[in-house]
Amino acid sequence: MDVIVIGGGPAGMMAAWAAAMEGAAVSLWERNSRLGRKLAITGKGRCNITNQSDIGELIKHIPGNGSFLYGAFSRFSPQDVIDFFQQAGLAVKVERGRRVFPQSDKAADVVDVLTKLLRQAGVAVAFERRAKALRIRQGTVQGVVDWQGRFFPASRVIVASGGASYPATGSTGDGYLLAQAAGHDVVPPQPSLAPLVTVERWPAQVMGLSLKNVRLRAEKAGKILAEEFGEMLFTHFGISGPIVLTLSRAIIEAGASGVQLYLDLKPALDVEQLRRRLDRDLQKFARRQLQNGLDELLPSSLIPVFLHLSGIDIYKTCNQLTKNQRQTLVSLMKALPLTVQGHRPLAEAIVTKGGVRVDQVSPKTMESKLARGLYFAGEVLDVDGYTGGYNLQIAWSSGYVAGQAAGRGID
């Protein structure tokens, strides 16, 4: 066998296809009984394939060593990814934030297309085969040993076994052990995009409520860490959703516990505009109890919690509110406070931060600088991006470059 690819996720499938297209005999090892298990659940089952951005924008949204991927993105860009799937028969669409999805909104269709391409390219897929060790002699890869102790010779090996999040899908950190045994340093994995646990318990009362077009700001010791605009979700433990996940990276780096969050429920209105809007609603529903008078400003399930936090009697009629009480409501709508207690564990993180140190890998080919014929692709590397299609673009680009280089057998 010319090339063995370890891991049947997005990076591994792309790498195997690219290597086979160079004429190499390729074996793709997948420890599960089917390919793309994690890919099939991404984007809530819709699969945010990529982000239709230029290279500069991509790197800006990849805080974890994004510049390392400049060459890979140049070789296989978001537009190349879009063309790749469309030419394979998968129609795509571009949504808000330049996020690209399959037209069908089905991640399974992405997996099916890749599976078909692998079959057409002649890739031999070995299911339920897990790599235990790399065999390296005099600084050159010789092949792979599986967990049954069987040795499979190969002149090139691509490790694309993922990170350590969602272990039920097969991402259990195997690639880190393989890399370390080959002499590579591994930056300890930790959550990059993870839901947040709050000190306050009231989010559980509105569990399942999704807010769109809101702004969330994170502060610690009076310093703004970051802020994001978009969609978020309340859960039984705290908060999640796109803007929470994006903010979580900076929050986790800051130690998480004690970080103060401020939720702007009406970012399109400044304080004065919101005050006038509130006054109109209170006048319109003057004789209603307050708990029934904010329906046009807030989601109904949030109103009881919101009023409890304001300290205002929910049974007051709207026309009984004092000027100070109105100001309290406005202030709370513009900065609803939450306190971070921590974050959900690595196993529940969307993406793993950490992995094989990128200064020990060639950005041009994804080949190891320590062992000839050994390549890395995808989340096993110490690269990670925000939500919005950036992490899958990392997988496609690094997988393509590694596969092409390994398929050609070049250094």
Side-chain angles (χ1 to χ4, degrees):
M1 190 62 61
D2 295 327
V3 180
I4 290 177
V5 180
I6 301 170
M13 286 190 282
M14 181 61 76
W17 175 83
M21 295 305 288
E22 293 296 328
V26 181
S27 176
L28 174 59
W29 291 19
E30 170 51 51
R31 61 183 289 179
N32 294 304
S33 59
R34 64 181 186 273
L35 296 171
R37 281 192 65 184
K38 188 175 179 182
L39 181 61
I41 62 174
T42 60
K44 298 178 182 177
R46 295 179 62 216
C47 190
N48 186 179
I49 298 170
T50 186
N51 193 285
Q52 199 176 44
S53 301
D54 59 29
I55 294 176
E57 277 296 305
L58 283 180
I59 292 174
K60 190 191 304 182
H61 287 84
I62 300 172
N65 294 312
S67 58
F68 168 77
L69 296 160
Y70 185 90
F73 289 152
S74 299
R75 296 265 296 285
F76 202 64
S77 68
Q79 189 57 52
D80 291 327
V81 170
I82 292 169
D83 293 343
F84 170 84
F85 281 108
Q86 288 187 324
Q87 288 167 13
L90 183 75
V92 303
K93 58 184 177 180
V94 183
E95 297 188 357
R96 181 178 55 83
R98 301 187 297 269
R99 297 174 300 162
V100 181
F101 291 89
Q103 193 83 279
S104 65
D105 283 330
K106 295 179 180 178
D109 290 347
V110 179
V111 178
D112 289 345
V113 164
L114 290 166
T115 303
K116 178 189 74 172
L117 290 172
L118 290 171
R119 184 172 59 250
Q120 292 174 345
V123 174
V125 180
F127 291 109
E128 298 182 343
R129 184 174 294 168
R130 184 179 176 187
K132 185 174 185 179
L134 302 174
R135 185 169 293 178
I136 299 173
R137 293 284 187 273
Q138 297 180 328
T140 301
V141 163
Q142 305 293 308
V144 188
V145 179
D146 72 2
W147 276 76
Q148 280 69 51
R150 298 172 296 182
F151 172 67
F152 295 82
S155 56
R156 280 93 71 196
V157 174
I158 302 173
V159 178
S161 50
S165 56
Y166 285 92
T169 64
S171 298
T172 56
D174 286 8
Y176 304 145
L177 300 177
L178 296 174
Q180 287 173 322
H184 282 267
D185 296 321
V186 171
V187 177
Q190 59 179 301
S192 174
L193 306 179
L196 298 175
V197 179
T198 59
V199 171
E200 295 82 2
R201 299 275 73 93
W202 65 257
Q205 298 175 44
V206 290
M207 179 177 63
L209 173 63
S210 178
L211 300 178
K212 295 183 178 180
N213 303 318
V214 295
R215 186 176 300 279
L216 187 63
R217 184 175 78 252
E219 295 185 4
K220 188 164 188 179
K223 179 185 176 183
I224 296 177
L225 299 175
E227 58 181 296
E228 289 291 327
F229 172 85
E231 184 177 347
M232 65 172 286
L233 173 73
F234 291 104
T235 70
H236 67 283
F237 54 77
I239 53 176
S240 188
I243 62 174
V244 173
L245 295 174
T246 297
L247 282 177
S248 70
R249 195 181 196 279
I251 290 169
I252 292 169
E253 285 184 346
S257 179
V259 170
Q260 191 66 49
L261 303 175
Y262 296 98
L263 175 60
D264 186 346
L265 294 162
K266 297 294 175 183
L269 303 175
D270 63 27
V271 171
E272 183 56 30
Q273 290 170 328
L274 181 56
R275 186 191 62 76
R276 291 198 298 268
R277 167 67 193 278
L278 176 64
D279 285 346
R280 286 199 303 270
D281 281 21
L282 293 177
Q283 185 176 4
K284 180 179 178 180
F285 304 118
R287 296 188 179 182
R288 287 187 184 180
Q289 290 181 339
L290 185 56
Q291 61 181 338
N292 300 315
L294 299 176
D295 291 349
E296 295 183 6
L297 271 172
L298 297 172
S300 57
S301 62
L302 185 61
I303 291 173
V305 170
F306 181 84
L307 291 176
H308 175 74
L309 295 173
S310 75
I312 301 172
D313 183 357
I314 62 174
Y315 299 110
K316 269 195 171 189
T317 56
C318 292
N319 59 5
Q320 290 180 314
L321 286 188
T322 66
K323 182 179 180 180
N324 285 341
Q325 289 173 328
R326 292 176 184 227
Q327 185 56 49
T328 295
L329 294 180
V330 169
S331 298
L332 207 53
M333 284 186 207
K334 294 298 288 181
L336 187 66
L338 284 163
T339 309
V340 177
Q341 183 180 78
H343 56 80
R344 298 298 281 182
L346 178 57
E348 296 180 30
I350 305 300
V351 175
T352 304
K353 176 187 175 185
V356 178
R357 272 182 45 181
V358 296
D359 60 354
Q360 297 175 343
V361 177
S362 165
K364 186 177 179 181
T365 62
M366 299 295 143
E367 186 176 19
S368 165
K369 294 179 180 179
L370 309 180
R372 289 185 298 276
L374 175 61
Y375 301 78
F376 298 97
E379 201 176 350
V380 71
L381 290 162
D382 183 22
V383 289
D384 61 280
Y386 295 133
T387 58
Y390 302 105
N391 289 292
L392 272 180
Q393 182 63 45
I394 292 171
W396 308 132
S397 294
S398 61
Y400 178 83
V401 168
Q404 192 176 66
R408 292 174 179 173
I410 62 175
D411 293 329

Short mmCIF file of all heavy atoms in Angstrom, two decimals, residues 293-318:
data_model
loop_
_atom_site.label_atom_id
_atom_site.label_comp_id
_atom_site.label_asym_id
_atom_site.label_seq_id
_atom_site.Cartn_x
_atom_site.Cartn_y
_atom_site.Cartn_z
N GLY A 293 -47.64 42.73 29.67
CA GLY A 293 -47.50 43.96 28.89
C GLY A 293 -46.19 44.09 28.13
O GLY A 293 -45.94 45.13 27.51
N LEU A 294 -45.35 43.04 28.17
CA LEU A 294 -44.05 43.11 27.49
C LEU A 294 -43.93 42.12 26.34
O LEU A 294 -42.84 41.86 25.84
CB LEU A 294 -42.92 42.85 28.51
CG LEU A 294 -42.82 43.84 29.68
CD1 LEU A 294 -41.73 43.40 30.65
CD2 LEU A 294 -42.54 45.25 29.17
N ASP A 295 -45.09 41.58 25.92
CA ASP A 295 -45.09 40.53 24.91
C ASP A 295 -44.45 40.94 23.59
O ASP A 295 -43.93 40.09 22.86
CB ASP A 295 -46.52 40.05 24.63
CG ASP A 295 -47.11 39.30 25.81
OD1 ASP A 295 -46.35 38.98 26.74
OD2 ASP A 295 -48.33 39.05 25.81
N GLU A 296 -44.53 42.22 23.26
CA GLU A 296 -44.00 42.67 21.98
C GLU A 296 -42.52 43.05 22.06
O GLU A 296 -41.89 43.36 21.05
CB GLU A 296 -44.83 43.84 21.44
CG GLU A 296 -46.26 43.43 21.11
CD GLU A 296 -47.07 44.57 20.51
OE1 GLU A 296 -46.49 45.64 20.24
OE2 GLU A 296 -48.29 44.38 20.30
N LEU A 297 -41.97 43.00 23.26
CA LEU A 297 -40.55 43.33 23.46
C LEU A 297 -39.70 42.12 23.80
O LEU A 297 -38.52 42.06 23.45
CB LEU A 297 -40.41 44.37 24.59
CG LEU A 297 -40.47 45.84 24.18
CD1 LEU A 297 -40.51 46.72 25.43
CD2 LEU A 297 -39.29 46.22 23.31
N LEU A 298 -40.30 41.15 24.48
CA LEU A 298 -39.53 40.00 24.97
C LEU A 298 -40.26 38.69 24.67
O LEU A 298 -41.49 38.67 24.61
CB LEU A 298 -39.31 40.11 26.48
CG LEU A 298 -38.51 41.30 27.00
CD1 LEU A 298 -38.57 41.33 28.53
CD2 LEU A 298 -37.07 41.23 26.52
N PRO A 299 -39.52 37.59 24.53
CA PRO A 299 -40.17 36.28 24.42
C PRO A 299 -41.00 35.99 25.67
O PRO A 299 -40.56 36.29 26.79
CB PRO A 299 -38.99 35.30 24.30
CG PRO A 299 -37.83 36.13 23.87
CD PRO A 299 -38.05 37.48 24.46
N SER A 300 -42.17 35.43 25.50
CA SER A 300 -43.09 35.25 26.63
C SER A 300 -42.48 34.41 27.76
O SER A 300 -42.71 34.70 28.94
CB SER A 300 -44.39 34.62 26.15
OG SER A 300 -44.15 33.38 25.50
N SER A 301 -41.70 33.39 27.41
CA SER A 301 -41.14 32.54 28.45
C SER A 301 -40.07 33.24 29.27
O SER A 301 -39.78 32.85 30.41
CB SER A 301 -40.55 31.26 27.83
OG SER A 301 -39.49 31.57 26.95
N LEU A 302 -39.48 34.29 28.71
CA LEU A 302 -38.42 35.02 29.40
C LEU A 302 -38.97 36.10 30.34
O LEU A 302 -38.31 36.50 31.29
CB LEU A 302 -37.47 35.65 28.38
CG LEU A 302 -36.22 36.38 28.92
CD1 LEU A 302 -35.33 35.42 29.70
CD2 LEU A 302 -35.44 37.01 27.76
N ILE A 303 -40.20 36.53 30.09
CA ILE A 303 -40.75 37.67 30.84
C ILE A 303 -40.79 37.44 32.35
O ILE A 303 -40.35 38.30 33.12
CB ILE A 303 -42.14 38.05 30.29
CG1 ILE A 303 -41.98 38.64 28.88
CG2 ILE A 303 -42.83 39.07 31.21
CD1 ILE A 303 -43.29 38.91 28.17
N PRO A 304 -41.30 36.30 32.85
CA PRO A 304 -41.33 36.11 34.32
C PRO A 304 -39.94 36.18 34.95
O PRO A 304 -39.77 36.80 36.01
CB PRO A 304 -41.94 34.71 34.47
CG PRO A 304 -42.72 34.49 33.23
CD PRO A 304 -41.93 35.17 32.15
N VAL A 305 -38.95 35.56 34.30
CA VAL A 305 -37.58 35.61 34.82
C VAL A 305 -37.05 37.03 34.78
O VAL A 305 -36.44 37.52 35.74
CB VAL A 305 -36.66 34.68 33.97
CG1 VAL A 305 -35.20 34.91 34.33
CG2 VAL A 305 -37.03 33.23 34.17
N PHE A 306 -37.29 37.70 33.67
CA PHE A 306 -36.81 39.07 33.49
C PHE A 306 -37.37 39.99 34.57
O PHE A 306 -36.63 40.79 35.17
CB PHE A 306 -37.23 39.56 32.10
CG PHE A 306 -36.79 40.96 31.77
CD1 PHE A 306 -35.53 41.22 31.28
CD2 PHE A 306 -37.67 42.02 31.94
CE1 PHE A 306 -35.13 42.51 30.98
CE2 PHE A 306 -37.29 43.32 31.65
CZ PHE A 306 -36.01 43.56 31.16
N LEU A 307 -38.66 39.88 34.84
CA LEU A 307 -39.28 40.75 35.84
C LEU A 307 -38.81 40.39 37.25
O LEU A 307 -38.66 41.27 38.10
CB LEU A 307 -40.80 40.67 35.74
CG LEU A 307 -41.38 41.31 34.46
CD1 LEU A 307 -42.88 41.09 34.39
CD2 LEU A 307 -41.06 42.80 34.42
N HIS A 308 -38.58 39.10 37.50
CA HIS A 308 -38.05 38.71 38.80
C HIS A 308 -36.68 39.36 39.03
O HIS A 308 -36.40 39.86 40.13
CB HIS A 308 -37.93 37.19 38.88
CG HIS A 308 -37.27 36.71 40.14
ND1 HIS A 308 -37.91 36.72 41.37
CD2 HIS A 308 -36.01 36.24 40.38
CE1 HIS A 308 -37.08 36.27 42.30
NE2 HIS A 308 -35.92 35.96 41.73
N LEU A 309 -35.85 39.37 37.98
CA LEU A 309 -34.53 39.98 38.09
C LEU A 309 -34.61 41.49 38.28
O LEU A 309 -33.75 42.11 38.90
CB LEU A 309 -33.69 39.66 36.86
CG LEU A 309 -33.33 38.18 36.65
CD1 LEU A 309 -32.66 37.97 35.30
CD2 LEU A 309 -32.43 37.69 37.78
N SER A 310 -35.68 42.09 37.75
CA SER A 310 -35.83 43.54 37.87
C SER A 310 -36.28 43.96 39.26
O SER A 310 -36.10 45.11 39.66
CB SER A 310 -36.85 44.05 36.84
OG SER A 310 -38.18 43.73 37.24
N GLY A 311 -36.87 43.00 39.99
CA GLY A 311 -37.37 43.32 41.33
C GLY A 311 -38.69 44.06 41.33
O GLY A 311 -39.15 44.54 42.37
N ILE A 312 -39.35 44.14 40.18
CA ILE A 312 -40.62 44.87 40.06
C ILE A 312 -41.78 43.88 40.17
O ILE A 312 -41.75 42.79 39.60
CB ILE A 312 -40.70 45.62 38.71
CG1 ILE A 312 -39.53 46.62 38.61
CG2 ILE A 312 -42.03 46.35 38.58
CD1 ILE A 312 -39.41 47.27 37.25
N ASP A 313 -42.81 44.26 40.90
CA ASP A 313 -43.98 43.42 41.11
C ASP A 313 -44.65 43.12 39.77
O ASP A 313 -45.07 44.01 39.05
CB ASP A 313 -44.98 44.16 42.03
CG ASP A 313 -46.20 43.33 42.37
OD1 ASP A 313 -46.33 42.21 41.85
OD2 ASP A 313 -47.03 43.82 43.16
N ILE A 314 -44.75 41.82 39.44
CA ILE A 314 -45.30 41.43 38.13
C ILE A 314 -46.80 41.73 38.03
O ILE A 314 -47.36 41.77 36.93
CB ILE A 314 -45.06 39.93 37.85
CG1 ILE A 314 -45.78 39.05 38.89
CG2 ILE A 314 -43.57 39.62 37.83
CD1 ILE A 314 -45.69 37.57 38.58
N TYR A 315 -47.46 41.94 39.18
CA TYR A 315 -48.90 42.18 39.15
C TYR A 315 -49.25 43.66 39.03
O TYR A 315 -50.42 44.02 38.94
CB TYR A 315 -49.55 41.58 40.40
CG TYR A 315 -49.36 40.09 40.49
CD1 TYR A 315 -48.53 39.53 41.45
CD2 TYR A 315 -49.99 39.25 39.58
CE1 TYR A 315 -48.35 38.15 41.51
CE2 TYR A 315 -49.82 37.86 39.63
CZ TYR A 315 -48.99 37.32 40.60
OH TYR A 315 -48.80 35.97 40.67
N LYS A 316 -48.23 44.51 39.02
CA LYS A 316 -48.48 45.93 38.78
C LYS A 316 -49.03 46.10 37.37
O LYS A 316 -48.65 45.38 36.45
CB LYS A 316 -47.18 46.73 38.90
CG LYS A 316 -46.89 47.26 40.27
CD LYS A 316 -45.79 48.32 40.20
CE LYS A 316 -45.65 49.01 41.55
NZ LYS A 316 -44.75 50.18 41.46
N THR A 317 -49.91 47.08 37.21
CA THR A 317 -50.35 47.39 35.85
C THR A 317 -49.30 48.27 35.19
O THR A 317 -48.53 48.96 35.86
CB THR A 317 -51.71 48.11 35.85
OG1 THR A 317 -51.62 49.28 36.66
CG2 THR A 317 -52.80 47.21 36.39
N CYS A 318 -49.30 48.23 33.88
CA CYS A 318 -48.26 48.94 33.13
C CYS A 318 -48.25 50.44 33.42
O CYS A 318 -47.18 51.08 33.42
CB CYS A 318 -48.44 48.70 31.62
SG CYS A 318 -48.13 47.00 31.11
#
